[in-house]
Amino acid sequence: MKRLICLFVFATIAFPVLAKEDWRGRVVDEKGEPVAYANVAVLSKTDSTVLCGVVTEEDGTFNIVTDETDGIMMVAMLGYKTVYLAPVDGAVITLTDDTQMLEGAVASAVMPKTKLTGEGLQTNVRGSVLENVGTANDVLSKTPGLIKGQNGLEVIGKGSPMVYINGRRVSDVSELDRLQSNEIQSVEVITNPGAQYDATVRAVVRIRTIRRQGDGLGFNLNASDAQSLRWARGNDPFGAINVNYRTGGLDFFGGVNYARNTSRQQSDLEKKTFGRTTTGDDWLFENKGTLLNEYIGSTLYGNAGVNWQMADNHFLGGKVEWGRHLTYNVHTEVKDNVFENGVLIDKLTTLSDDTMGEWTPYNLGANLYYNGLVAGKLGIDVNLDYYGTDDSSKSVSMETSDITHNAAIQSGSTNAGRMYAAKAVLSYPIWKGQLQAGTEETFSRRIDNYSIDGIDIPASKATVREDNIAGFASYGLYLPKVGQLSAGVRYEWVHYAYTDAITPANDLSRNYGNWFPNVSYANAFGPVQLMLNYSAKTRRPNYANLSSAVRYNSRYIWQSGNARLQPELSHNISATAVWKWVTFMANYTRTDDAIMTWSSPYGSEGVVLVQPRNIESPFRMYSTFVNLTPTVGIWTMNYTLGVQGQRLGITVEDPREAGGKRVTSFNDKPIWIAQLLNTISMKGGWQFELGGMVQSRGYSGNLLLTSVYCDIGAAVQKTLLADGSLVLRLEATDLAGLAHYNVDSDFGSHTIMQTNLMDTQKVKLSVRYNFNTAQSKYRGTGAGTDSKARM
């Protein structure tokens, strides 16, 4: 690690003395908007050899230093015509679309244009049908490369992405509801995040907003209300205000938002637990019943910050974010008929209420940053972060039995987490490309206390400590007739310690050291753009999953974490191709020590313990998708079709087998997916939408999805006022009432069958108004992002 950092520092000091010419400039498109990540190179006049090169910044600027006093400057970007010119300091270079490559891709002004950037897929939002669909979340749900999965929006083949807005990581997901679609310039879906990102980051979405000019006050208001069609109490109001004031080189910003969220689930469950007594007799416990779960909660979030442009190419700023639960109520009703070897032994009704505990849960985060360019060539990006969270909850369960005994169970938990992180990234143009290197340190602490009365389950008082020290370097360049090449490597050293003050036998300490390489290649072959990627990634368990405390869900279901969980390690290969309005994506991933939720008998009285575990066998996943975005007149289509499958065999304990074990296969049922979105744009600011997603039955991890998922939605939207600053939108979701998953799973000695009805049929009305909106100049990118998410 020290050698790597020393080598990089030497490089950044040594190379500047070679420079004799210093050319600065800016690259824009035909609309005058900056073109980020374009390749700028200086070629030899004699043989066109690439002498040196750089990549443009987010604002399209570049600074290229070379000892060549008389060469040819080349500016290249996939999707645009390559430009050759004599080097001129201060030039503004305009790129035009490559009409051969994009012919047919922009059949109408309302169609979003998608192209490869060398890192992923970039979709222009401004001037497209996506410009007024609502919030940033609405834009992402309709962006090529993203699809609605079981856990929200996912990058195809990569899972949930980390989202950045103008280079700053989004830590508050409600920010995507506050950011309006008409403020977005483009969305880039990164399928192979580079070494500068944490090794747990498998996909990134970068949102770039429209750059507003001038000083003054601006604000935007956003209000909405969604009402469930199945549950009268399922009402979700939302309100937000964001203010921005600019004067000179100072930029002040802040905002506050309130949200009430509800959810409701109705399920039928059938569980079977198999066992064998010490005398060799088999026994079978069966649970047949229903579950009703209702959640109602409200939160208040706020943020404030300042950005100071001290001089050209020098920025300093800070930001504070806070959040607090106002209300939190979870009501659960479980009705359970219990059979032992076919004989009814218990008829149980459990009513549980979870509420806030000793104090109101809250979180607080802060970021300080410096971003600048030293001597016109050395880029410096430094971030210091703090994040803290305190949570407290209590649960009261009343169990009523018609056959055995009644019981009252009370439990309480408190936890507190703190994270301190720092990240420094240096960049410098070397030879024909750009070198980037840096370091990131994250120090996390978490205290988790749990107590329970009414049943013989031990309390716990656990402390988790994790230190992560990382160094990384990457290099990217563009070679004419070859393409864009980039490679990077990240090394992470992690110290993990778990201590339990009540049960010292659970104490655990481990150290990890891993290398995570990534390689990317992109080029245009006539009208076809192609990108190939390889990367190695990890996934670490969240801190709650590392607690060994046994938590009581019901008389027959207990839950626990697993302090002995190992991190996952994944290797991914992907390919992306774009031709006109067709995008093809293919992914293959192998994961070792995959973390999955597991259920197994706990004793011989029908109790099962649910906890995460590592899977011993490799978990292989593949996916192939095609995205089509043609436009016919006022009708714009966005169709995504594909399949995702897996190869997984798990050795499970099963007392019914002669050897007590068998292999359970989760292989032969891939999931087929179709997402069909249609938009009609008409004069007068009217827009109509109709679309949906259909997903077949199939395996997802160690679960079998046994129902066809179908979510059909519709929306009508009207843009008002001359500048389009007022937008009214009415939308409905799950019109067919089929947006839910039924699941089966086979854990060997325990099986589950569950049907679900979720509260997804809703109607939503929203109003958005923007006044002289000026997007924040904030350039902090943050550090310790993985630890924040795991807290």
Side-chain angles (χ1 to χ4, degrees), residues 180 220-225 238-240 720 725-730 764-770:
Q180 307 305 300
N220 66 65
L221 302 173
N222 182 12
S224 65
D225 193 14
F238 173 85
L720 302 170
S725 58
L726 180 62
V727 179
L728 304 179
R729 182 178 176 87
L730 178 67
K764 179 180 179 182
L765 176 65
S766 60
V767 180
R768 303 189 305 278
Y769 176 69
N770 299 321

Side-chain angles (χ1 to χ4, degrees), residues 1-18 378 426-430 435 437-438:
M1 175 69 66
K2 292 181 179 178
R3 292 179 180 177
L4 175 64
I5 296 174
C6 290
L7 176 62
F8 174 73
V9 172
F10 171 78
T12 57
I13 294 175
F15 275 100
V17 302
L18 303 177
L378 176 63
L426 305 180
S427 59
Y428 191 80
I430 292 180
L435 173 67

Side-chain angles (χ1 to χ4, degrees), residues 120-355:
L121 291 168
Q122 184 184 75
T123 299
N124 287 336
V125 176
R126 189 178 187 184
S128 79
V129 70
L130 300 179
E131 185 172 13
N132 288 306
V133 296
T135 68
N137 267 326
D138 297 317
V139 171
L140 297 182
S141 67
K142 299 173 174 63
T143 298
L146 291 166
I147 197 166
K148 186 177 180 181
Q150 298 176 52
N151 301 310
L153 288 174
E154 298 179 356
V155 173
I156 292 175
K158 297 298 181 75
S160 300
M162 182 173 289
V163 181
Y164 287 79
I165 299 177
N166 293 335
R168 176 182 55 81
R169 193 247 180 182
V170 175
S171 57
D172 175 9
V173 293
S174 66
E175 185 173 354
L176 297 177
D177 286 317
R178 299 194 300 270
L179 178 62
Q180 307 305 300
S181 57
N182 60 5
E183 290 293 313
I184 298 176
Q185 173 68 34
S186 64
V187 174
E188 187 174 10
V189 180
I190 307 298
T191 55
N192 188 35
Q196 70 270 30
Y197 295 100
D198 189 283
T200 62
V201 179
R202 305 189 184 199
V204 168
V205 170
R206 288 200 295 232
I207 298 174
R208 186 159 62 95
T209 61
I210 298 170
R211 296 184 179 273
R212 305 296 185 182
Q213 304 298 323
D215 294 341
L217 176 68
F219 66 86
N220 66 65
L221 302 173
N222 182 12
S224 65
D225 193 14
Q227 176 59 52
S228 169
L229 301 181
R230 291 188 177 132
W231 183 33
R233 300 179 66 193
N235 183 254
D236 301 343
F238 173 85
I241 180 171
N242 294 279
V243 180
N244 187 280
Y245 179 73
R246 285 180 172 181
T247 176
L250 288 172
D251 174 26
F252 301 94
F253 58 92
V256 63
N257 77 85
Y258 164 84
R260 181 180 189 266
N261 296 294
T262 63
S263 65
R264 192 170 193 257
Q265 174 183 343
Q266 296 171 280
S267 302
D268 292 322
L269 304 99
E270 182 174 339
K271 298 170 289 182
K272 295 182 179 180
T273 306
F274 308 94
R276 179 168 293 173
T277 66
T278 55
T279 59
D281 297 325
D282 293 334
W283 52 262
L284 167 64
F285 274 91
E286 295 179 90
N287 299 69
K288 299 179 181 180
T290 61
L291 175 143
L292 172 65
N293 179 273
E294 297 175 343
Y295 163 74
I296 299 176
S298 59
T299 55
L300 187 67
Y301 285 93
N303 70 85
V306 61
N307 179 83
W308 178 29
Q309 185 172 354
M310 300 179 292
D312 289 343
N313 299 318
H314 292 277
F315 298 86
L316 183 69
K319 182 177 183 179
V320 176
E321 297 178 294
W322 57 269
R324 180 177 292 273
H325 281 279
L326 301 179
T327 59
Y328 175 84
N329 293 280
V330 180
H331 176 72
T332 306
E333 298 181 12
V334 179
K335 296 182 178 180
D336 209 358
N337 293 330
V338 185
F339 300 84
E340 182 178 5
N341 297 325
V343 178
L344 180 66
I345 62 169
D346 204 353
K347 194 170 185 179
L348 185 67
T349 299
T350 304
L351 302 180
S352 300
D353 289 285
D354 297 349
T355 57

